[in-house]
Amino acid sequence: KAGVTQTPRYLIKTRGQQVTLSCSPISGHRSVSWYQQTPGQGLQFLFEYFSETQRNKGNFPGRFSGRQFSNSRSEMNVSTLELGDSALYLCASSLGQGAMYEQYFGPGTRLTVT
Amino acid sequence: TQLLEQSPQFLSIQEGENLTVYCNSSSVFSSLQWYRQEPGEGPVLLVTVVTGGEVKKLKRLTFQFGDARKDSSLHITAAQPGDTGLYLCPASNDYKLSFGAGTTVTVRA
């Protein structure tokens, strides 16, 4: 069974631009969660999508948004990029909603904002 | 929100040595997961422990869940350079995994 895939793997953007990241979950998994990882803050929860609806949201500004499609694929969008948005963005898929289900991570998208 | 502390934060050992990483909390967990992350990659799920006192083995890795389900340990026997990475044991808080800083393990050849 194929794992979680994320595209693109690397991205360089300029401050003020916007970016869209994509995540394809493991086949059969209906929940996708997004995390931001930085050296200073570690892994922080952004949001979770289940059945095309955002179920939970972390403590991030409204510039961070996402959506989920009927095939469970998810996208994350960051608008008006800031230098501090440079990070590894990880998505994780699981069978169901909530952390009681095992979460499987993708390889991440490395975003660099200049 | 359940919080989980890992120790030590950094560990550097020689190939062939043994090591133990700890996760501790004042809260009871229904389950606990261990991940290993290599630089530039996503965390890879190693194991999930569910029952208090449970011991799981994955080749040279031994995972133990405390009897009270408040702590866990990971023991690596005869460490190899391939064991190098960031070991994470996030707390499951309802809808999300809450990660601490983890333990960075470096195994020198």
Side-chain angles (χ1 to χ4, degrees):
Chain A
K1 185 183 282 190
V4 178
T5 59
Q6 291 186 247
T7 57
R9 288 295 312 276
Y10 304 92
L11 207 48
I12 299 175
K13 289 288 187 178
T14 304
R15 195 169 43 182
Q17 289 185 315
Q18 75 165 19
V19 67
T20 299
L21 312 181
S22 180
C23 172
S24 292
I26 292 171
S27 178
H29 284 194
R30 298 174 60 196
S31 173
V32 173
S33 297
W34 288 88
Y35 293 82
Q36 181 197 65
Q37 186 175 30
T38 59
Q41 299 296 319
L43 273 144
Q44 292 187 293
F45 173 80
L46 279 157
F47 29 64
E48 178 192 18
Y49 284 87
F50 179 78
S51 293
E52 302 179 63
T53 302
Q54 187 182 93
R55 302 291 177 163
N56 297 289
K57 192 177 192 303
N59 188 26
F60 279 83
R63 299 185 297 109
F64 292 81
S65 63
R67 58 178 176 168
Q68 186 180 35
F69 302 94
S70 58
N71 62 357
S72 294
R73 190 177 69 86
S74 177
E75 288 182 347
M76 191 192 96
N77 185 274
V78 188
S79 62
T80 319
L81 284 166
E82 300 177 0
L83 295 178
D85 296 333
S86 294
L88 181 66
Y89 289 89
L90 295 158
C91 79
S93 78
S94 58
L95 279 171
Q97 180 187 351
M100 71 286 291
Y101 291 91
E102 292 181 335
Q103 296 194 19
Y104 296 86
F105 286 84
T109 294
R110 170 71 64 186
L111 172 64
T112 302
V113 182
T114 62
Chain B
T1 301
Q2 296 175 319
L3 296 176
L4 208 148
E5 292 187 2
Q6 283 189 244
S7 62
Q9 192 170 354
F10 299 97
L11 197 53
S12 181
I13 62 171
Q14 201 69 33
E15 181 177 5
E17 294 182 338
N18 302 331
L19 68 97
T20 303
V21 175
Y22 300 93
C23 277
N24 293 288
S25 174
S26 57
S27 302
V28 175
F29 295 99
S30 56
S31 66
L32 191 146
Q33 299 171 4
W34 282 92
Y35 290 85
R36 179 174 65 216
Q37 184 180 23
E38 297 183 12
E41 298 292 331
V44 174
L45 179 64
L46 297 174
V47 78
T48 300
V49 286
V50 178
T51 306
E54 181 178 10
V55 176
K56 282 192 173 180
K57 292 192 175 184
L58 188 66
K59 297 182 180 178
R60 294 174 294 99
L61 278 60
T62 301
F63 304 84
Q64 185 160 7
F65 202 13
D67 291 339
R69 291 185 288 126
K70 292 183 178 182
D71 56 87
S72 182
S73 64
L74 157 61
H75 182 79
I76 301 179
T77 304
Q80 298 177 359
D83 296 323
T84 292
L86 176 65
Y87 288 82
L88 300 158
C89 58
S92 299
N93 290 308
D94 295 328
Y95 57 87
K96 67 177 181 179
L97 296 177
S98 295
F99 290 86
T103 296
T104 299
V105 172
T106 303
V107 182
R108 306 184 304 274

